[in-house]
Structure formats: structure tokens, C-alpha cells
Amino acid sequence: MSAFSESGKLWGGRFSASTDELVEEFTASVDFDKRLAACDIDGSIAHVTMLARVGTLTEAERDQIIKGLKDIGTDIARGEFAWSNALEDVHMNIEARLAERIGDVGKKLHTGRSRNDQIATDIRLYLRNEIDELTVDLDRMMTALVDVAEREADTIIPGFTHLQTAQPVSFGHHMLAWFEMLYRDRSRLVDCRRRMNVSPLGAAALAGTRFPIDRYDSAEQLGFDGICENSLDAVSDRDFAIEFSSCASLIMMHLSRMSEELVLWMSQQFGFIDIDDAFCTGSSIMPQKKNPDIPELVRGKTGRVYGDLMALLTLMKAQPLAYNRDNQEDKEPLFDAIDTVRASVKIYAALIPAITVKPDAMREAARRGLATATDLADYLVEKGIAFRDAHAIVGQIVSHALAAGKDLVDLPLAELRQYCSAIDEDIFDQLSLEASVAARRHPGGTAPDQVRAAARRARERLQNTT
Ligand code: ARG
């Protein structure tokens, strides 16, 4: 008997009419779920290995099935597998081919299993691997940030609040702020992986199976840390995909913030950085243009990933237990989130070292913005004036400097003393950008020595993460 029923479907026994073409097209997922093929085969091999261990399959049957699955895996990897829409999905494409290749024994593969626990297993295996590779790229990007932080610890850039010049900071310090964002993102991914890495296999359609399966055995073969405790939950929930997409959304949000800064910094108006030609593109009409398209695209792609997250949350929200076909719709958003975040992190890991800084422009901007006004107020406090009064005095000096078109450090002592007689010659040691930055010498502060120490700690933290 062929693996196919009269209707041509693996599930067609109870059907007398063949499937409408429109239905076939509407329900098929093989176009996108075929990327799960290698995971599907791994899951099947673990399943039959376990079935042979508990005596449900003979060892000979197991060996034939495993050989057939491996051969199919090779065909798929070589692009020599003819996928069929009529066979709906990756699972039935492979299973039907197995029976064609090895004969009736191939029809025993699906013993004690359902596509419901099968797909839940496949996605977890696939996503687990993607998380591992994404983590490697995140580590590369974080290492690149630490390298720049060390190199540019002494480079001074104006720090902003409200995008108005606030206080000078070390450029390295700014890079380490980006590092911290990504470091948290990484730990969220590791956490997501840990919660996800349990095996749904054995849940079968929803209620489990009457075969004497050993769920721990198949789980262990597949590198899962344990099993899903409840069969209904195992086949139905996609919260792990939602959790990953939420981690991916946070990564994209952070990359998008970095992108925004890079785009601003590279503009003629800021002129703080340049990005190597290899990472920029030109204009088809304006010959002078060199555009930061990579950061712009990453900023733009952030919206896609948020959309993927929303799609998954909405997909799940009204589903009764247990499996519903709605869940087939989880793949495209999940794959899109994976592909987008991976491509973005990968290109950023390469782009960070391609940034060159322009310290003179940064210094000039900090001076123009009177970035050391807080230092002058702090100086008055050290001379015994209450901070609120010092703030008011410096406010007047700032008005004066702006009217005179000068930085605070360039005002003559006599002019400064008109506002406050407590000001002495020693003020000029404190109003320079270097002095301002160097004075913030506590852990987490922007003094270059602190930045170098923080960069060292960042490197250690990276080396000690798992
Ligand atoms: N293609 C399906 C999915 O992605 C596989 C599970 C189908 N199960 C079923 N009972 N129709 O969810």
C-alpha cells in the first residue's frame, strides 16, 4: 500500500473527495517551513531511536528509517529535493519521501507522534541554533565597541540631554553605554533560550500517546535540558517565539538608537565622525553625497521586527487549548525577526571598526555649547556657595558669554569676578573640557581612567559569559 490514500494525502483515509486546489494553496506552508528540514530530520531521528529503545520499533527498522532520513537530508542540503505543495508542509514532504525511498517501514516513523509536537520541537531546535549564532555576532559587536572605547577613552565629545549640549564626556564612555545596552540584550537572549530549551516531543497531538515512550531519552538526544511538563501546553503555546521576538525588538530598538546617533554625527552639521566608504553609499543625482545607509536601514528595519512581535502576540491571544492551525502563521514573522536582527547585528559588528572620529569637531561643539557650565557652578559650591545660588550666578555668566560669543574658559578673570568675587585664578584649571571629564572619576563616570577600567571590566564580563 502506498503512503498516499486515494485523496493523495497522508491524512486522506477518511476523505472521499480530493482537496480543492484553492485549499491546497491556502493551507500549504512548505514554501517557508522547509527551512526547518534539518531540524525536522534531527527530531525524527531522535524519535525513532527512542522508539527502538523502548521496543516499539526493531533495531533494523530504526536503522532503515535513520538511513532514509539522512539520505533525504543530504538531498535537501544539495538542493535536490522536489518540494510539493500538495504535501502541505515540511513534515509530510519528508515523511512521504521516506516511504517512497525505503518502502513500508518508512510509514512507521510517525508512530506515537503528531505534527503538533513535531513542529513545536522543530521551531525550538531551529530558534535555539539561531540564538546561539546571534549571540556570537552580538559578542563580536560588543568586542568592537570595547576596542573603540579603549582607543578613544581620551577623546572628548559633547554629551547631550534633550539633544542640547549638556556636559563633555569621553567618546569611549559613549561607546560603553552602547555596550551596556547590548550586554543586557545578550542576557535576555540567554534567558529566553534557557526557558525555551525543553522538549515537546511525546505530547503527540495534544494528550500524549499510549506507546511506552521515554520522553527524557528523545529530549536528551536533542540537547534539550528537560521536557515540557504538560502535553496540552507543549503543542499549543508559542510564547518562546514571542519572547524571542521581544528580545529581538529590544536589540533593534537599541541598534536604532545607535543608528540615529551615527546618522546625526555623520551629518555636515555635527561632523563628529566619518564612516568608511565601504559602509556608505552615494546618490544617483548628487555627486557630493556619501550617505549612512546602513544605520538608516537598520533604523528602518526596527519597525519590521516590532511588527513581527505584534503579529505573534496577536496570533496567540485568542487560541483555546491545544493546537490550532493558526499556529502555522507563527513562522513567517518569527523567521523575519530572526533574519532581520541577525543581519543587523552582523553588519554592525563590521561597521563599528569602520568609524573614525573627528576630535576637533567634537571639541569645538562642546566649547560652543558651554559644556563646562556645571563645572563652574560646582567650583562655586566648593568655595562655600549653595548650589542653587551658584546655579543662578553661572546662569548670568552664561548669558554674558553667549552675548560675547566666547566659551567660559575664554572669559577674563575680571569679567568672571563681576558676577562672583569668590572666583579665582584656579577656576581656569577646572573649566577645560579635559578637567571637566577627568573630575568625574567614580565608577560609571566619564573620566578617561574610569573609561579604561570600565572597558577592561567589560572585556572580562564578555569572556566570563556563557
Ligand atoms: N504546518 C503546521 C504548523 O506549522 C504543522 C502542524 C500541523 N498540524 C495539524 N494538525 N494540521 O503548525
Side-chain angles (χ1 to χ4, degrees):
M1 191 182 149
S2 114
F4 299 90
S5 62
E6 291 306 306
S7 68
K9 304 293 181 202
L10 292 187
W11 41 251
R14 61 100 67 216
F15 287 77
S16 42
S18 55
T19 318
D20 190 284
E21 237 174 73
L22 275 176
V23 172
E24 211 153 71
E25 206 178 303
F26 191 76
T27 54
S29 57
V30 65
D31 271 352
F32 48 85
D33 66 19
K34 64 184 174 203
R35 73 155 90 182
L36 298 173
C39 298
D40 196 70
I41 289 173
D42 289 347
S44 291
I45 291 175
H47 178 65
V48 294
T49 304
M50 178 277 292
L51 287 181
R53 258 180 217 154
V54 300
T56 299
L57 289 182
T58 67
E59 290 183 359
E61 288 169 335
R62 173 198 65 198
D63 293 346
Q64 283 180 67
I65 293 175
I66 291 178
K67 165 135 195 350
L69 286 168
K70 286 189 170 162
D71 290 345
I72 290 171
T74 309
D75 286 355
I76 293 172
R78 289 198 185 127
E80 288 167 5
F81 188 93
W83 297 99
S84 152
N85 249 2
L87 287 167
E88 244 179 80
D89 54 27
V90 60
H91 322 297
M92 291 197 292
N93 267 270
I94 293 175
E95 195 188 326
R97 181 60 50 84
L98 184 69
E100 275 167 29
R101 270 185 107 107
I102 67 170
D104 279 354
V105 62
K107 295 189 213 163
K108 297 195 171 188
L109 165 63
H110 213 49
T111 312
R113 187 177 75 166
S114 153
R115 278 185 293 156
N116 297 351
D117 59 344
Q118 194 178 353
I119 185 63
T121 304
D122 290 4
I123 310 172
R124 285 169 197 256
L125 292 176
Y126 182 81
L127 185 54
R128 188 176 77 184
N129 187 48
E130 292 293 320
I131 289 179
D132 291 344
E133 293 189 15
L134 173 58
T135 310
V136 171
D137 281 339
L138 271 177
D139 287 350
R140 286 178 46 230
M141 179 173 173
M142 283 189 276
T143 302
L145 288 172
V146 176
D147 290 345
V148 179
E150 255 164 10
R151 197 183 70 217
E152 307 295 345
D154 292 303
T155 304
I156 294 178
I157 183 173
F160 297 91
T161 59
H162 315 269
L163 202 57
Q164 305 290 313
T165 303
Q167 293 171 347
V169 294
S170 150
F171 187 74
H173 196 50
H174 200 114
M175 293 298 102
L176 291 180
W178 290 1
F179 172 91
E180 292 299 327
M181 299 174 189
L182 296 180
Y183 191 76
R184 288 192 297 277
D185 290 334
R186 185 193 198 284
S187 78
R188 269 186 282 268
L189 277 177
V190 170
D191 207 35
C192 165
R193 185 197 195 283
R194 184 177 56 75
R195 243 188 306 285
M196 182 186 69
N197 197 32
V198 284
S199 174
L201 269 188
L206 74 164
T209 171
R210 53 194 302 152
F211 292 99
I213 56 169
D214 181 347
R215 296 191 59 207
Y216 294 100
D217 180 281
S218 48
E220 198 184 324
Q221 289 182 62
L222 292 168
F224 285 118
D225 298 324
I227 59 167
C228 299
E229 289 287 342
N230 181 288
S231 65
L232 299 171
D233 176 53
V235 294
S236 69
D237 210 336
R238 296 292 183 266
D239 59 351
F240 60 90
I242 297 174
E243 192 174 350
F244 171 80
S245 304
S246 127
C247 295
S249 294
L250 284 169
I251 294 173
M252 293 305 293
M253 180 273 290
H254 284 146
L255 294 185
S256 184
R257 295 187 65 191
M258 297 169 198
S259 299
E260 175 73 3
E261 294 192 314
L262 291 176
V263 170
L264 287 171
W265 290 349
M266 208 181 120
S267 70
Q268 282 67 37
Q269 286 64 28
F270 278 77
F272 288 179
I273 59 161
D274 195 11
I275 298 177
D276 195 272
D277 281 5
F279 288 88
C280 293
T281 54
S283 158
S284 58
I285 173 171
M286 296 168 284
Q288 86 283 14
K289 292 298 290 292
K290 174 172 162 182
N291 296 328
D293 291 39
I294 302 303
E296 292 170 83
L297 274 168
V298 169
R299 194 176 55 189
K301 285 174 189 288
T302 303
R304 292 171 67 129
V305 178
Y306 292 2
D308 296 330
L309 171 62
M310 281 308 126
L312 289 169
L313 279 167
T314 314
L315 169 70
M316 202 71 244
K317 75 178 250 301
Q319 285 194 47
L321 285 172
Y323 176 84
N324 303 279
R325 191 65 178 268
D326 313 38
N327 273 348
Q328 180 163 298
E329 288 290 309
D330 65 354
K331 298 191 195 40
E332 285 164 297
L334 177 62
F335 293 159
D336 186 65
I338 292 172
D339 293 346
T340 309
V341 72
R342 283 205 54 199
S344 302
V345 172
K346 192 182 167 93
I347 199 150
Y348 253 104
L351 180 137
I352 298 292
I355 297 172
T356 46
V357 297
K358 298 181 174 171
D360 293 347
M362 292 179 183
R363 289 186 65 85
E364 180 46 34
R367 285 165 57 88
R368 234 183 304 127
L370 305 182
T372 56
T374 314
D375 297 276
L376 178 51
D378 290 347
Y379 169 89
L380 296 181
V381 169
E382 280 159 20
K383 298 278 173 176
I385 297 170
F387 180 78
R388 199 42 67 206
D389 293 331
H391 187 289
I393 293 166
V394 177
Q396 290 172 349
I397 299 176
V398 162
S399 291
H400 174 80
L402 289 173
K406 288 182 176 167
D407 184 16
L408 298 174
V409 76
D410 300 324
L411 293 174
L413 184 59
E415 282 179 31
L416 287 170
R417 287 178 63 91
Q418 280 169 13
Y419 295 90
C420 181
S421 58
I423 301 177
D424 282 321
E425 194 65 43
D426 59 348
I427 183 60
F428 296 108
D429 301 335
Q430 302 201 20
L431 284 188
S432 71
L433 298 175
E434 283 73 15
S436 170
V437 169
R440 286 152 173 85
R441 50 171 16 108
H442 47 79
T446 192
D449 284 346
Q450 287 295 337
V451 172
R452 278 183 278 270
R456 269 196 302 280
R457 288 197 301 275
R459 238 185 251 291
E460 277 168 26
R461 284 156 71 199
L462 265 186
Q463 270 152 17
N464 295 332
T465 48
T466 45

